[in-house]
Amino acid sequence: MKVLVVGTGAREHAIADALKDDVELYVYMSKINPGMSKIAEFKQGDEGEVEKVAAYAVEKDIDIAFIGPEAPLGKGIVDELQKNGIKCVGPTQSAARIETDKSFMRKLFEDYEIEGSLVYKVFDNSQDVSEFLDEFDRDVVVKPVGLTGGKGVKIVGDHLKDNEEAKEYSCEVIDNVMGGFAQVIIEERLIGEEFTIQAFCDGENLAPMPAAQDHPHAFEGDVGAITGGMGSYSDVGGLLPFLTQEDYDKAVGIMKATLKAIAEEAEPYKGILYGQFMLTADGPKLIEYNARFGDPEAMNVLPLLKTPLYEVCQAIVDGTLDEVEFENRASVCKYIVPDGYPETEYAGELIEVDEEAIEDMGAKVFYAAVSQEDDGIHLSGSRALGIVASGESIEEAEKIAEKACEFVKGNVYHRRDVGTTELVNKRVEHMKEILN
């Protein structure tokens, strides 16, 4: 079987790594990823130029294309590939609106009476924003309607001082057409603990993966700017220390109802559905969906996959998806980023990565926004690589991952607290306070 992975980062590297032993592997990437370039035949090019990607897939006689990032999905890469006879793990442009158009997602919950929604409004002018926030007596979250790479969301009480600052930011989103829409979504701020469930989907059936928790703040102690994600963990049993089986099952039920609604409203959804939830005193609430694997959460679950990924891919495109098995282990991912990230002066600098030493520790390296040049691996202004380890407990996995981070040298930083017992217990105690 010939499989093409589309994308450049650590998420795509994790996908490729899970496929490499079972298929003839190809990659289409904008930068030369040091990890994927070793295990696959590749072409360097803009993944957003969907006609060129499709032409490459036809040239290489690809059987299945696995689409990693959200931007090409929003541009209709699956539609273009399917037009050329290439089956895809990834939703069509219409179905991908579950991520690319947040107002579509929220309306879907309304129209199909799906549980787990929250109070929200969509605005296209500053006057209506101001009137709404003057009357709304709770803190809010402000989101661009379209894609902003996980960096457009701002929360009152975190990034914004009060609802007055929320007004200012909302106007900025509208005026600058942030994310491609001259609109903004304002949602009630939920109080609880965030968690992620990712699921394989074949248009009708859904196979959920272990839950994970991301750490989006740039610095230790959950402070600093919201980033694409500084690390994540999963636990033995597929749950999280603060997440019960009942909570997990409710969240999966919300995702199943969404899958049916997308098929009714748009097209059958084939690929990866990522549900970002907040566990509240009233149970799981859906914050947003992504139409692809999370990054870093893909790195938590894919190394634990027992069912061969190529078999899952075949089942997705054939519409025969059944249960997918994972090893009963915990995992911790820590992201190495340039010092000062998300604002950094070290873009373009060389780093040293001792892959052999990291693998000897029992950990894995997944390369993200770096570039392989003749003289070595160069940083960009974004996240550089994920270090992932698994173990019989979160504590064991965290210790391995933390030790493995020592084998990356340069002007780099990582959150040492991701996956630590202290931080995990903080999450558990926070949830207890909310429930009591």
Side-chain angles (χ1 to χ4, degrees), residues 12-25:
E12 291 76 33
H13 187 183
I15 294 166
D17 183 71
L19 288 166
K20 68 179 190 297
D21 294 331
D22 300 308
V23 304
E24 192 174 329
L25 188 61

Side-chain angles (χ1 to χ4, degrees), residues 24-321:
E24 192 174 329
L25 188 61
Y26 297 80
V27 178
Y28 199 102
M29 51 185 164
S30 58
K31 291 183 178 179
I32 298 178
N33 181 295
M36 289 192 286
S37 62
K38 294 177 189 174
I39 60 175
E41 182 176 328
F42 68 91
K43 181 176 179 63
Q44 187 175 3
D46 183 349
E47 303 111 342
E49 295 181 345
V50 298
E51 293 86 358
K52 291 184 179 179
V53 179
Y56 178 73
V58 170
E59 176 192 337
K60 296 299 180 181
D61 197 24
I62 296 298
D63 295 300
I64 297 174
F66 199 130
I67 315 303
E70 64 274 21
L73 292 170
K75 292 182 177 179
I77 190 170
V78 169
D79 307 69
E80 186 66 25
L81 285 160
Q82 289 180 344
K83 191 169 72 177
N84 284 274
I86 311 294
K87 295 178 179 178
C88 295
V89 177
T92 60
Q93 187 176 36
S94 174
R97 289 172 65 202
I98 198 70
E99 174 174 10
T100 61
D101 183 350
K102 293 182 181 67
S103 60
F104 168 79
M105 183 270 286
R106 285 293 172 209
K107 192 167 187 304
L108 206 65
F109 269 61
E110 274 187 6
D111 292 347
Y112 290 84
E113 299 180 344
I114 300 171
E115 292 184 10
S117 192
L118 43 77
V119 176
Y120 82 99
K121 294 283 185 182
V122 183
F123 299 97
D124 60 8
N125 68 84
S126 58
Q127 182 176 339
D128 288 347
V129 168
S130 184
E131 289 175 1
F132 173 76
L133 287 176
D134 283 342
E135 295 179 8
F136 198 70
D137 60 356
R138 284 170 280 168
D139 288 347
V140 297
V141 179
V142 181
K143 297 180 177 181
V145 168
L147 298 175
T148 55
K151 301 179 181 72
V153 176
K154 292 198 177 183
I155 303 166
V156 170
D158 196 342
H159 321 94
L160 304 169
K161 185 174 68 175
D162 51 28
N163 281 3
E164 286 301 313
E165 286 196 0
K167 289 181 188 178
E168 294 173 15
Y169 180 59
S170 298
C171 294
E172 181 184 330
V173 170
I174 294 169
D175 292 344
N176 293 325
V177 196
M178 199 179 294
F181 292 81
Q183 293 177 306
V184 67
I185 290 184
I186 298 179
E187 299 175 349
E188 64 173 313
R189 181 184 182 182
L190 298 173
I191 303 300
E193 284 294 328
E194 290 189 29
F195 68 95
T196 297
I197 297 176
Q198 302 166 109
F200 297 107
C201 305
D202 70 357
E204 184 174 347
N205 305 297
L206 181 149
M209 306 181 214
Q213 187 177 46
D214 182 25
H215 297 68
H217 289 87
F219 306 120
E220 291 172 14
D222 296 325
V223 297
I226 292 289
T227 71
M230 292 295 293
S232 48
Y233 67 89
S234 68
D235 200 3
V236 175
L239 302 175
L240 294 169
F242 58 84
L243 185 71
T244 67
Q245 187 67 53
E246 182 182 4
D247 295 327
Y248 178 92
D249 291 343
K250 282 183 179 177
V252 170
I254 291 168
M255 296 175 75
K256 287 180 177 178
T258 305
L259 191 66
K260 288 182 180 177
I262 297 171
E264 289 283 336
E265 197 68 23
E267 295 179 70
Y269 186 103
K270 295 196 172 195
I272 312 300
L273 184 62
Y274 166 116
Q276 184 182 3
F277 294 90
M278 182 76 80
L279 182 59
T280 72
D282 298 319
K285 301 288 185 181
L286 193 283
I287 298 173
E288 65 183 16
Y289 281 119
N290 291 333
R292 35 69 186 182
F293 267 119
D295 184 348
E297 297 96 333
M299 293 180 272
N300 290 104
V301 297
L302 284 170
L304 302 181
L305 195 58
K306 283 176 70 176
T307 307
L309 183 57
Y310 83 95
E311 290 184 7
V312 180
C313 292
Q314 190 67 62
I316 288 171
V317 300
D318 290 345
T320 58
L321 185 65

